[in-house]
Structures are given as structure tokens and as C-alpha cells.
């Protein structure tokens, strides 16, 4: 699933200025600004080389996580690991997560998907694999899919799969301009779970959806 990029919900509109709504977030990319409006479920772009915005810090959808630092560009390169050992239980959980996430995904906005992901019921797993092992098993099973979902559904799917092993993670949204591209991925602290650093180095983080406290 690495490297897949989601197209904008609507074609980016250009304007002289971008006014932020309560549920909108902005980030600078080169000589322009990108705005993510969660209420309208769309991105918009503006060419504004003179306008400055504050340095980015993690923006989560809940107050309890809004002051948590984000690693930014200091992502950890996933270590070389033995090939993931996949069991019948993993296959069952993968199928269940695929069905559940696909049904919930249809006709929902990014904000609605993030709300669902934040409140996923996490199944207790005291002596199970660690979070990196779970991500590796997901990647191994992902290769057997007959199609390749884009990053939005793929990340939503991974969050459902991880919840079945007792794990939660941040859902990170990034953008770039000239040309406009939008992408999202899953990480915990500064460890990437479904991406590699070089694939996202040109993206500027615009929003982070963090899991709600349990």
C-alpha cells in the first residue's frame, strides 16, 4: 500500500485568500497554501508567497491530544525484519477488518471516517505481537488483495486490523503543491506503519487524527 495517493474530494480551488473555518486547517507548501476544510470535506489551494503561517505542531481532532508533539520529518525507517509469519487467525482478522472498514468507508467524509477510527473498540491482547509485527502481517496479507485501495481506505483498513490486536495509532494527512497531491498514512509516535520516509518526504502535514482516550 506504500506510495498510493488519494485525489482531492473536489478539484482544488484557487483564491486570493483562504479564510479558515473552525474545522479547517492550513499548511504552507512552497509558495502556496493548502487548506483542508473538514466540514466541506475538501481541499483548497491558494498561491500566496508572502503570507506566513506559524510553524506546524500536531493538530489532533480532540483537545486531549492537541498538545502532543509530532516527529515531523524525523520518521524512523522501518528496520529490516524477517518475513511476517501469518496465521489463520491473522487471515480471519484481515478479512473481518476489510469487510468492516469497506462498509463503513462508503459515502463518508474524512471527518466521519476519522471519528469512527478514533473510537474503534480495541480488543485486549496481553501476549500478542507488537505493533510493528501487526503492521508487517497486514502488509504481507495486503499483497494478496486483487486490487490496491488508495491510501485513505488503506489506512482506514489498517486501523481496523490493528484494533483487533489491541493497538491504536495516529492517522496523518499530508499535502503538497505544484502539482497538488494529498496523501495519508498511519504512524505511532515517529514510527511509520504503512509508509517509508522517502515516499512522504515532499508532503507537508496538515492534520493529524489521534485516537480518543480510552
Amino acid at each position: 500500500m506504500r506510495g498510493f495517493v488519494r485525489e482531492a474530494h473536489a478539484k482544488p480551488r484557487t483564491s486570493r485568500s483562504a479564510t479558515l473555518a473552525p474545522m479547517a486547517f492550513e499548511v504552507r507548501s512552497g509558495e502556496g497554501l493548502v487548506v483542508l476544510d473538514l466540514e466541506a470535506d475538501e481541499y483548497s489551494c491558494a498561491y500566496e508567497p508572502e503570507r506566513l503561517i506559524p510553524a506546524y505542531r500536531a493538530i489532533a481532532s480532540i483537545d486531549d491530544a492537541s498538545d502532543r508533539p509530532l516527529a515531523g520529518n524525523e520518521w524512523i525507517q522501518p528496520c529490516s525484519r524477517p518475513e511476517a509469519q501469518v496465521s489463520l487467525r491473522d487471515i480471519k482478522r484481515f478479512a473481518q477488518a476489510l469487510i468492516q472498514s469497506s462498509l463503513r468507508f462508503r459515502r463518508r467524509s474524512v471527518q466521519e471516517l476519522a471519528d469512527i477510527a478514533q473510537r474503534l473498540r480495541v480488543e485486549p491482547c496481553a501476549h500478542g505481537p507488537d505493533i510493528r509485527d501487526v503492521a508487517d502481517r497486514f502488509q504481507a496479507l495486503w499483497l494478496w488483495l486483487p486490487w490496491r485501495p488508495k491510501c485513505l481506505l488503506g489506512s482506514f483498513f489498517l486501523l481496523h486490523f490493528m484494533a483487533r490486536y489491541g493497538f491504536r495509532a495516529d492517522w496523518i494527512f499530508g499535502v503538497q503543491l505544484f502539482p497538488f497531491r494529498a496523501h495519508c498514512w498511519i504512524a505511532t509516535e515517529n514510527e511509520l506503519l504503512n509508509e517509508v520516509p522517502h515516499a512522504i518526504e515532499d508532503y507537508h502535514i496538515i492534520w493529524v487524527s489521534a485516537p480518543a482516550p480510552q
Side-chain angles (χ1 to χ4, degrees), residues 9-126:
H9 177 78
K11 290 184 179 180
R13 62 176 184 269
T14 57
S15 63
R16 292 188 177 180
S17 62
T19 302
L20 293 186
M23 292 301 291
F25 305 96
E26 68 175 358
V27 69
R28 173 166 292 284
S29 179
E31 294 191 331
L33 294 174
V34 181
V35 176
L36 169 59
D37 187 338
L38 292 176
E39 186 173 0
D41 194 34
E42 68 178 12
Y43 291 98
S44 60
C45 308
Y47 177 69
E48 294 188 10
E50 294 84 18
R51 185 180 179 195
L52 301 176
I53 59 176
Y56 177 82
R57 64 175 291 124
I59 301 173
S61 55
I62 53 173
D63 292 340
D64 292 341
S66 61
D67 59 351
R68 187 172 50 179
L70 187 74
N73 293 327
E74 299 177 359
W75 299 112
I76 293 177
Q77 173 73 44
C79 298
S80 177
R81 299 164 62 96
E83 186 174 347
Q85 298 297 314
V86 176
S87 67
L88 289 177
R89 177 177 291 183
D90 296 324
I91 296 172
K92 178 182 177 181
R93 289 176 172 177
F94 185 84
Q96 291 171 335
L98 176 59
I99 294 170
Q100 189 177 46
S101 61
S102 297
L103 291 175
R104 290 174 168 177
F105 185 82
R106 296 186 62 189
R107 299 179 182 177
R108 283 193 164 93
S109 68
V110 169
Q111 177 66 72
E112 290 170 332
L113 295 174
D115 288 343
I116 292 171
Q118 289 166 7
R119 291 167 176 79
L120 285 173
R121 187 173 68 87
V122 176
E123 298 182 7
C125 194

Side-chain angles (χ1 to χ4, degrees), residues 133-210:
D133 287 330
V134 172
D136 288 345
R137 294 179 192 193
F138 180 85
Q139 184 67 28
L141 291 167
W142 174 274
L143 297 176
W144 290 94
L145 289 177
W147 86 104
R148 291 292 178 265
K150 292 189 177 181
C151 63
L152 190 66
L153 175 55
S155 295
F156 191 57
F157 178 14
L158 174 56
L159 289 169
H160 279 73
F161 184 72
M162 290 171 50
R164 296 178 178 276
Y165 294 83
F167 294 110
R168 296 139 56 78
D170 294 334
W171 196 354
I172 301 172
F173 293 79
V175 293
Q176 65 178 37
L177 273 179
F178 312 119
F180 173 82
R181 302 177 82 196
H183 190 34
C184 63
W185 59 91
I186 304 301
T188 176
E189 299 297 335
N190 60 345
E191 183 175 7
L192 298 169
L193 298 179
N194 65 338
E195 261 302 358
V196 291
H198 70 80
I200 57 174
E201 62 186 2
D202 293 330
Y203 287 93
H204 301 276
I205 297 170
I206 193 169
W207 185 53
V208 177
S209 174

